[in-house]
């Protein structure tokens, strides 16, 4: 196999990695909000439930969570949900791994939403009470205070920790390997197993590095854009 | 003419009774200084006036109309918001909105309020022009026209506090309250803030100023309230409070302890 065809073969895998990355952010970033609100709720049972949930999700390896999501429907309900989705998409559309990818996406979205929720909570709680009170005294509604006064300050504070999580995420996509989703590392493993080629495995690092490089630049720009004020 | 009347305000936090029955009245155009040692309840009183805290007991009349009654039904958010607009509050640590320029800080709340008016759609241009004109005038009044487009983080403490005063005035409150407006400032910056208060007093803005600046209180305030452990221990003309024959021993020793 030529270098180019191996690159293309790995790229097929990296597209799956990027899909996991994008969907996790698209779902996890908004999903983190209600979780963080629940974990700050004044209603104790809601707050406790949210905290326990976040504790479990953050306390258990993501790989284990992928296994649980993937295998539990079959084990508990005797219904191979994701396997059937796999088969359905393969037969009807010729798409590989659809069910497995969905299981991975669910696990990733929930897991990252919990991490994001803690970052949001930290950001929201770091805004001084005085900002809310200044808004109140000026006759603003709670909603106006949140959206017009607090939100941008929170965003500014959470950009650095969110950047860390986002950069971790692209590398975490390799965990999808554990239920045989053909992401980047899995593709390289396939080459090792079928063509006895080890070097493509190391070559995958270039994909991650390039992507992390792009992310770093973009997130750095965002951070810089918000540096016009300090609070 | 009596503008504000407070009757028997009481406020406890848990088991600590912080306000133990506060009553006073305030004429339109008057500048009232509230003095007293730390922990005597001055901040809590201002917060009650601005509806940031709800008194456990007591009534407030504004312009002769009952505005708050602790024994009445609990007011909803919208109602409190409306009542709050009669007052302004300038905080010790300014609390400007850091992501907005000075000018935007002044215009934000008035614009949001204007947007709630029923005829906002038809008269939008006129409303906005009016708000911006007023903000421009206020910036001139506090001497910060040159800082119109600066962000708060680039201003000195004194400048920030002057912006905060202008921001409070942009809502045209009936009564403007100040909670130790200069105590977070370096000494050389207090004068510029006190000068703004002085000019407001000369324009007959109704003000309640909690302060440790005794000279300022003596000079600018027409009346002084001395708070001591949650009660008003003295309420009278400032000439009397700071004069030779002050009738209240504790007030006398308090003023002495600060001025020395
Ligand atoms: N939110 C609160 N919860 C509990 N105690 C409070 C609260 N606010 C004020 N206090 C207490 O009330 C007392 C008076 O406080 P404050 O009104 O700030 O006094 P001052 O402004 O005169 O220094 C203090 O003992 C303070 O600890
Ligand atoms: Mg105080």
């Amino acid at each position: 196999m030529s270098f180019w065809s191996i690159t293309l073969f790995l790229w097929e895998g990296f597209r799956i990695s990027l899909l996991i990355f994008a969907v996790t952010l698209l779902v996890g970033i908004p999903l983190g909000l209600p979780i963080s609100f629940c974990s700050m709720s004044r209603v104790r049972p809601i707050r406790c439930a949210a905290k326990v949930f976040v504790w479990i999700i953050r306390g258990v390896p993501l790989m284990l969570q992928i296994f649980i999501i993937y295998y539990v429907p079959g084990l508990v309900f005797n219904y191979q949900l994701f396997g059937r989705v796999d088969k359905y998409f393969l037969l009807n559309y010729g798409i590989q791994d659809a069910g497995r990818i969905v299981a991975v996406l669910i696990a990733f979205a929930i897991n990252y939403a919990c991490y994001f929720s803690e970052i949001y909570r930290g950001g929201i709680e770091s805004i001084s009470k005085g900002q809310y009170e200044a808004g109140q005294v000026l006759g603003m509604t709670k909603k106006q205070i949140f959206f017009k006064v607090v939100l941008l300050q929170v965003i500014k504070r959470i950009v650095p920790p969110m950047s860390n999580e986002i950069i971790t995420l692209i590398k975490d996509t390799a965990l999808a390997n554990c239920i045989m989703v053909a992401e980047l590392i899995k593709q390289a493993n396939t080459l090792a197993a079928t063509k006895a080629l080890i070097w493509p495995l190391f070559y995958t690092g270039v994909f991650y590095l390039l992507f992390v490089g792009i992310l770093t630049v973009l997130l750095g720009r965002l951070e810089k854009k918000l540096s016009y004020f300090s609070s | 003419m009596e503008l504000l009347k407070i009757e028997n305000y009481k406020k406890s936090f848990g088991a600590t009774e912080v306000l133990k029955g506060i009553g006073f009245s305030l004429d339109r155009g008057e500048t009232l200084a509230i003095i007293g040692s730390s922990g005597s309840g001055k901040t809590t009183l201002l917060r009650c006036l601005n509806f940031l805290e709800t008194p456990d007991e007591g009534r407030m009349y504004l312009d002769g109309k009952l505005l708050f009654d602790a024994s009445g039904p609990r007011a909803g958010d919208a109602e409190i918001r409306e009542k709050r607009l009669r007052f302004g509050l300038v905080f010790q640590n300014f609390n400007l909105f850091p992501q907005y320029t000075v000018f935007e800080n002044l215009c934000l709340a008035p614009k949001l309020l204007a947007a709630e008016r029923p005829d906002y759609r038809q008269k939008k241009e006129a409303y906005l022009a009016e708000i911006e004109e007023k903000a421009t005038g206020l910036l001139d009044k506090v001497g910060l026209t040159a800082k119109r487009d600066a962000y708060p983080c680039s201003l000195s403490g004194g400048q920030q506090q002057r912006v905060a005063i202008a921001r409070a005035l942009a809502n045209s409150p009936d009564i403007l309250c100040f909670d130790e407006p200069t105590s977070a400032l370096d000494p050389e910056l207090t004068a510029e803030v006190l000068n703004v208060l002085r000019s407001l007093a000369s324009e007959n803005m109704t003000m309640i100023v909690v302060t440790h600046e005794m000279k300022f209180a003596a000079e600018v305030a027409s009346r002084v309230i001395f708070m001591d452990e949650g009660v008003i221990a003295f309420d009278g003309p400032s000439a009397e409070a700071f004069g030779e024959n002050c009738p209240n021993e504790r007030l006398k020793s308090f003023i002495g302890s600060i001025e020395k």
Side-chain angles (χ1 to χ4, degrees):
Chain A
M1 274 177 100
S2 70
F3 179 74
W4 179 241
S5 60
I6 283 180
T7 304
L8 282 181
F9 187 75
L10 293 180
W11 170 248
E12 286 301 309
F14 197 53
R15 277 176 47 191
I16 304 290
S17 305
L18 289 177
L19 175 74
I20 299 170
F21 174 84
V23 174
T24 302
L25 290 185
L26 242 52
V27 179
I29 286 176
L31 185 61
L33 270 177
I35 300 175
S36 76
F37 289 144
C38 287
S39 71
M40 291 183 288
S41 167
R42 261 178 254 167
V43 186
R44 218 184 123 145
I46 295 180
R47 193 174 63 233
C48 289
K51 294 212 164 175
V52 169
F53 182 68
V54 170
W55 172 64
I56 291 174
I57 297 293
R58 295 207 308 169
V60 172
L62 177 51
M63 191 189 282
L64 181 53
Q65 291 168 33
I66 297 171
F67 283 140
I68 291 172
I69 300 262
Y70 183 64
Y71 289 116
V72 158
L75 289 175
V76 178
F77 305 104
N78 201 17
Y79 187 78
Q80 313 287 342
L81 174 65
F82 298 110
R84 283 174 194 235
V85 175
D86 259 357
K87 226 174 269 166
Y88 178 82
F89 273 85
L90 190 59
L91 291 179
N92 290 287
Y93 304 100
I95 295 174
Q96 296 261 2
D97 289 351
R100 291 159 192 276
I101 291 174
V102 170
V104 165
L105 291 178
I106 294 172
F108 268 72
I110 295 175
N111 184 273
Y112 270 82
C114 284
Y115 278 94
F116 293 156
S117 80
E118 284 295 283
I119 293 175
Y120 299 160
R121 188 168 66 87
I124 291 171
E125 285 177 349
S126 75
I127 303 301
S128 82
K129 228 176 77 202
Q131 291 289 306
Y132 293 91
E133 292 183 344
Q136 281 176 294
V137 167
L138 291 168
M140 295 163 71
T141 64
K142 281 184 187 149
K143 209 167 134 192
Q144 289 170 339
I145 294 170
F146 184 78
F147 285 105
K148 300 281 179 182
V149 175
V150 175
L151 186 60
L152 192 63
Q153 297 183 53
V154 172
I155 291 174
K156 182 184 166 81
R157 298 215 180 159
I158 67 175
V159 163
M162 287 294 281
S163 301
N164 275 333
E165 288 300 324
I166 289 170
I167 284 169
T168 305
L169 170 59
I170 187 62
K171 292 170 288 172
D172 270 0
T173 58
L175 288 168
N177 200 347
C178 72
I179 54 169
M180 313 300 275
V181 170
E183 49 70 54
L184 179 55
I185 300 271
K186 172 78 171 18
Q187 289 291 87
N189 272 332
T190 303
L191 288 177
T194 61
K195 303 270 186 321
L197 290 174
I198 281 296
W199 67 265
L201 196 51
F202 306 130
Y203 178 33
T204 60
V206 174
F207 287 76
Y208 293 111
L209 277 175
L210 282 178
F211 191 63
V212 167
I214 294 169
L215 283 179
T216 307
V217 169
L218 291 179
L219 293 166
R221 272 200 204 158
L222 179 60
E223 205 170 317
K224 193 147 178 227
K225 209 165 177 191
L226 290 171
S227 67
Y228 72 91
F229 72 92
S230 78
S231 51
Chain B
M1 195 191 102
E2 185 177 279
L3 176 61
L4 174 73
K5 187 176 172 70
I6 297 295
E7 282 179 5
N8 193 35
Y9 259 30
K10 290 188 182 170
K11 177 71 189 175
S12 299
F13 293 109
T16 17
E17 194 175 20
V18 176
L19 300 181
K20 303 172 181 167
I22 298 284
F24 66 93
S25 61
L26 186 67
D27 286 349
R28 194 179 283 282
E30 195 175 20
T31 299
L32 167 69
I34 299 183
I35 60 177
S37 54
S38 159
S40 55
K42 306 179 299 294
T43 296
T44 306
L45 176 59
L46 287 194
R47 290 172 61 84
C48 285
L49 293 180
N50 282 274
F51 298 90
L52 289 175
E53 306 282 358
T54 313
D56 306 323
E57 259 182 66
R59 279 163 305 282
M60 172 199 291
Y61 297 89
L62 196 70
D63 262 337
K65 287 194 222 43
L66 184 69
L67 197 71
F68 171 79
D69 183 356
S71 61
R74 253 187 99 105
D77 277 356
E79 202 182 332
I80 290 180
R81 206 157 70 84
E82 206 179 300
K83 293 176 175 182
R84 213 175 242 151
L85 286 173
R86 311 294 298 270
F87 293 86
L89 177 60
V90 173
F91 299 85
Q92 193 170 334
N93 46 1
F94 336 128
N95 290 330
L96 294 178
F97 304 134
Q99 72 269 45
Y100 293 118
T101 64
V102 165
F103 192 68
E104 289 166 343
N105 262 276
L106 265 61
C107 295
L108 179 65
K111 282 184 179 172
L112 291 171
L113 285 166
E116 286 173 26
R117 303 232 180 113
D119 57 351
Y120 179 69
R121 284 214 172 159
Q122 297 90 50
K123 294 199 191 163
K124 185 173 172 184
E125 304 288 312
Y127 277 136
L128 296 186
E130 187 187 334
I131 288 165
E132 293 183 359
E133 192 182 335
K134 172 149 199 196
T136 306
L138 286 169
L139 276 188
D140 183 46
K141 184 182 253 176
V142 299
L144 287 173
T145 303
K147 297 289 182 186
R148 183 183 189 276
D149 298 317
Y151 287 93
C153 58
S154 70
L155 303 182
S156 73
Q159 291 170 330
Q160 289 192 48
Q161 191 61 297
R162 281 145 67 196
V163 175
I165 294 171
R167 183 179 68 172
L169 288 168
N171 262 354
S172 311
D174 292 296
I175 301 173
L176 189 50
C177 304
F178 298 78
D179 192 5
E180 303 193 28
T182 59
S183 51
L185 301 178
D186 294 333
E188 70 268 22
L189 298 177
T190 59
E192 64 185 59
V193 171
L194 294 183
N195 283 337
V196 171
L197 268 75
R198 220 169 255 130
S199 79
L200 288 175
S202 71
E203 291 164 25
N204 292 324
M205 178 77 208
T206 313
M207 297 192 286
I208 301 177
V209 187
V210 169
T211 185
H212 284 299
E213 300 285 332
M214 293 303 140
K215 258 172 65 189
F216 169 79
E219 174 206 326
V220 177
S222 43
R223 228 176 86 216
V224 169
I225 280 180
F226 172 54
M227 283 187 64
D228 191 22
E229 296 185 354
V231 297
I232 292 181
F234 173 89
D235 179 353
S238 60
E240 192 180 322
F242 295 103
E244 284 298 304
N245 30 13
C246 168
N248 185 304
E249 280 308 315
R250 295 200 62 158
L251 172 56
K252 216 171 184 173
S253 70
F254 173 75
I255 293 173
S257 74
I258 285 192
E259 277 182 340
K260 67 162 186 294

